[in-house]
Amino acid sequence: MTIPFLDLGAAYRELKAEIDVAIHRVLDSGWYILGPEVEAFEAEWAGFCSADHAVGLANGLDALILALRALDIGPGDEVIVPSNTYIATWLAVTAVGARPVPVEPDPATHNIDPACIAAAITPATRVLLPVHLYGQPADLDPILTLARQRGIAVVEDAAQAHGARYKGRRIGAHGDVVCWSFYPGKNLGALGDGGAITTNSGDLADRIRVLRNYGSRVKYQNEVQGVNSRLDPIQAAVLRARLPHLDAWTDRRRAIAATYAEGLRDSGLILPHVPDWADPVWHLYVVRSPDRAGLQKRLAEAGVSTLIHYPIPPHMQAAYAGLGLAPDALPLARQLAEEVLSLPMGPQLALADAVRVISNV
């Protein structure tokens, strides 16, 4: 039997009755853009994240873009980004006309290394944009301290970190704006694209609400040049059905991660490192191997599905050739891209199957 990397069908079937009721509630309501269902999810998501405000958006990339726009980031500005991240983090920066300035990761956690950020700051730096990669929080305190000292905003990319805690407090309002994706494969996933921001700033939340709706508060009255980036009510209803189960699903992920950690400790692989202050939610379980291709091939032959997050770092993508960064300009990002492998992970993965993965590794 094949062990899938992530079984989205099983995730639906587990909550089928609740999800079907939620979807039909929206269909019966006749309200298909914004409205009460989105507002209810925004309130529930803000509460879950211990944030004052949440704004539902069409996807996670739009969340990053509109957060930067709400902070008036644009041409001539620089944004500090991780060198090791999904390209969406960089795309948001260039979408508003700013320049991404990459900083290398801590090799133990794969998250941006706070000790390297100060050297990358210039008079043009307006935002620090850490990513909570793989569901593990970045080290926020030194990042926030540096930002406050320099008068720089902090925008968090939490697309993989639903429910993660940093020093006991949920990710959701440490920085100025926190950006979320509800892509189906996320820990809290919709049945299509979806996103949101959370923040303690009423002003920033209000700006993003206006920007997401054509720059309008009142129909046909447009204050600014906005976009159409609204969380769909059907997706909001699905997220509302799943949110009460998120902590329990996270506990299952943690049990799988603990099983992997114990079973693979003598495997020769480099396993995930979790600092004392981090409480990750294991969106991904990422190991490192100098023979990644051989390992992935053998696992595939044994029926174990794996993925690579991410095979080409942003600075080596054709999309960013214009930045003029040589492949070895960011050696840690390049090395990770050549060695990382994500093992099967998800709340519907049976512990017995995790043991099979270990045995095959």
Side-chain angles (χ1 to χ4, degrees):
M1 291 178 60
T2 298
I3 299 175
F5 178 76
L6 177 67
D7 192 341
L8 293 178
Y12 165 65
R13 289 189 293 273
E14 182 176 333
L15 301 180
K16 183 180 187 302
E18 295 167 66
I19 290 171
D20 289 355
V21 166
I23 290 172
H24 283 95
R25 182 174 68 241
V26 177
L27 297 178
D28 289 339
S29 76
W31 198 319
Y32 304 139
I33 299 292
L34 294 178
E37 201 72 47
V38 174
E39 292 169 6
F41 172 70
E42 288 173 338
E44 291 162 11
W45 184 238
F48 180 86
C49 296
S50 299
D52 291 341
H53 308 277
V55 181
L57 301 165
N59 55 70
L61 177 56
D62 281 0
L64 289 164
I65 292 170
L66 296 186
L68 294 173
R69 284 195 60 186
L71 290 164
D72 296 321
I73 307 303
D77 296 329
E78 293 179 353
V79 177
I80 303 291
V81 295
S83 63
N84 180 53
T85 185
Y86 183 55
I87 198 170
T89 313
W90 289 41
L91 290 173
V93 176
T94 49
V96 300
R99 180 183 179 86
V101 177
V103 167
E104 288 274 72
D106 176 338
T109 66
H110 301 191
N111 274 322
I112 193 168
D113 188 342
C116 298
I117 293 176
I121 293 176
T122 74
T125 304
R126 295 283 309 283
V127 173
L128 307 184
L129 208 171
V131 178
H132 305 302
L133 198 63
Y134 313 150
Q136 174 154 287
D139 192 358
L140 286 172
D141 279 354
I143 294 171
L144 293 166
T145 298
L146 180 62
R148 289 168 185 145
Q149 290 171 345
R150 304 292 185 93
I152 299 170
V154 174
V155 174
E156 301 169 56
D157 183 340
Q160 300 180 355
H162 309 73
R165 294 179 186 268
Y166 176 73
K167 296 187 177 178
R169 178 182 163 199
R170 283 199 204 270
I171 297 298
H174 290 82
D176 294 278
V177 186
V178 184
C179 301
W180 304 93
S181 168
F182 303 120
Y183 180 79
K186 303 301 186 185
N187 291 36
L188 181 64
L191 298 183
D193 271 321
I197 64 93
T198 51
T199 181
N200 282 341
S201 168
D203 179 60
L204 288 174
D206 183 64
R207 290 186 188 188
I208 292 168
R209 284 193 185 95
V210 172
L211 286 168
R212 75 173 175 184
N213 191 41
Y214 298 99
S216 174
R217 299 173 201 273
V218 179
K219 196 167 186 178
Y220 303 129
Q221 297 180 25
N222 304 87
E223 303 171 19
V224 294
Q225 296 177 16
V227 297
N228 177 4
S229 181
R230 303 173 296 209
L231 179 64
D232 184 273
I234 291 178
Q235 302 302 345
V238 171
L239 293 168
R240 292 186 68 199
R242 286 180 162 173
L243 181 54
H245 302 273
L246 180 56
D247 283 338
W249 281 12
T250 298
D251 286 342
R252 295 187 205 170
R253 289 177 179 268
R254 289 177 176 141
I256 294 164
T259 300
Y260 280 153
E262 175 64 23
L264 296 173
R265 62 181 178 177
D266 297 320
S267 66
L269 300 178
I270 299 176
L271 304 183
H273 169 72
V274 180
D276 292 341
W277 41 258
D279 192 3
V281 292
W282 300 105
H283 173 62
L284 300 172
Y285 192 90
V286 180
V287 300
R288 290 173 59 187
S289 170
D291 184 24
R292 194 255 313 278
L295 175 62
Q296 187 174 39
K297 179 175 181 293
R298 292 287 296 275
L299 289 175
E301 291 169 351
V304 177
S305 301
T306 60
L307 291 177
I308 300 170
H309 296 87
Y310 300 97
I312 305 173
H315 79 283
M316 293 175 60
Q317 297 280 4
Y320 286 105
L323 292 179
L325 293 169
D328 288 333
L330 299 164
L332 280 174
R334 184 178 187 180
Q335 182 181 10
L336 290 176
E338 293 170 350
E339 295 182 354
V340 294
L341 186 68
S342 299
L343 301 181
M345 171 58 76
Q348 284 73 41
L349 179 68
L351 283 177
D353 284 339
V355 171
R356 281 184 55 206
V357 173
I358 293 165
S359 176
N360 282 297
V361 169

